[in-house]
Amino acid sequence: MKLRATIGVVSMLLAVPVIASDSAEAQRRLGFKYYHGEGVAQDNKRAVTLFEKAANAGDILSASNLGMMYEFGMGVKQDDAQAVAWYRKAAEMGDADAQFRASVMYYKGQGVPQDRIEAIKWWTLATMNGGAFAKAVQPMILSAESKVSPADVAEGKRRAAEWSKARESVR
C-alpha cells in the first residue's frame, strides 16, 4: 500500500510540468493541489502563480481564488486593490461568489473608492439566480440596503439589470 502511494505521488510530481503548461483548468487544479498541499508540499506562492496563469486564460474560479488570496495575503502581500481587481474579473465572468465579494469591497471602500451603487449592482447580480447562496447573504444585503437611499438602491438594481441584459445579448 505504501509503495502505491509513493508511486502515485512520484507520478503526479513528474506530471507537474506537463499539467502546468496545459489548460487553464489543469493549472487551476494544480494550483489547488499546491494550495491544499495535496500530493505536493503546500505552497501558496506556487498556487498564486498557477491561478494567475489560469485566470489570465479565462478561468473564472482561479480569478475568484486570486481575489481571496490577495484579500487575505495568502502567498502574496495582502493587497485590497489587487483583491477587488481579481474579484471584479471573476464577477464580470459571472461568478456569484466573486460578485458578492466585490460588492462588499465596494460597499466598504476596501481597495476601491467607496461606491454603494456599484455595491448594490454586484450583490443584486450575485443573488439573481436565487438558491442557497442568495438566501444565506440576503440578511446582510437587507441590512446594508437599509443604510442606503432608496434612489441609490434603485439605481444599483437598474445597473444590475442593464449589465445582465448586455451579458445575455453577447451570448
Side-chain angles (χ1 to χ4, degrees), residues 87-98:
Y87 285 145
R88 180 72 187 253
K89 182 171 182 156
E92 292 283 351
M93 290 188 273
D95 183 75
D97 184 58

Side-chain angles (χ1 to χ4, degrees), residues 70-84:
Y70 276 98
E71 183 178 4
F72 298 105
M74 299 183 304
V76 291
K77 183 178 179 225
Q78 193 281 333
D79 184 335
D80 286 337
Q82 280 284 61
V84 78

Side-chain angles (χ1 to χ4, degrees), residues 21-54:
S21 66
D22 200 3
S23 72
E25 180 183 359
Q27 291 170 343
R28 174 180 28 89
R29 287 178 182 223
L30 184 57
F32 275 121
K33 297 260 183 225
Y34 278 101
Y35 176 77
H36 292 290
E38 294 175 0
V40 295
Q42 197 278 335
D43 184 346
N44 282 341
K45 287 182 182 183
R46 180 76 174 128
V48 166
T49 299
L50 290 161
F51 289 149
E52 283 178 346
K53 287 180 184 178

Side-chain angles (χ1 to χ4, degrees), residues 37-141:
E38 294 175 0
V40 295
Q42 197 278 335
D43 184 346
N44 282 341
K45 287 182 182 183
R46 180 76 174 128
V48 166
T49 299
L50 290 161
F51 289 149
E52 283 178 346
K53 287 180 184 178
N56 286 327
D59 187 78
I60 189 170
L61 294 175
S62 294
S64 186
N65 289 333
L66 283 165
M68 179 189 64
M69 294 184 88
Y70 276 98
E71 183 178 4
F72 298 105
M74 299 183 304
V76 291
K77 183 178 179 225
Q78 193 281 333
D79 184 335
D80 286 337
Q82 280 284 61
V84 78
W86 285 111
Y87 285 145
R88 180 72 187 253
K89 182 171 182 156
E92 292 283 351
M93 290 188 273
D95 183 75
D97 184 58
Q99 289 169 337
F100 184 73
R101 290 177 179 273
S103 78
V104 171
M105 296 187 91
Y106 277 105
Y107 187 84
K108 292 179 176 179
Q110 184 179 342
V112 290
Q114 187 179 51
D115 186 339
R116 300 278 171 92
I117 294 172
E118 193 70 4
I120 293 163
K121 170 187 145 183
W122 287 114
W123 71 51
T124 300
L125 290 165
T127 59
M128 254 182 198
N129 293 325
F133 176 77
K135 188 175 182 179
V137 298
Q138 197 61 35
M140 290 177 271
I141 290 172

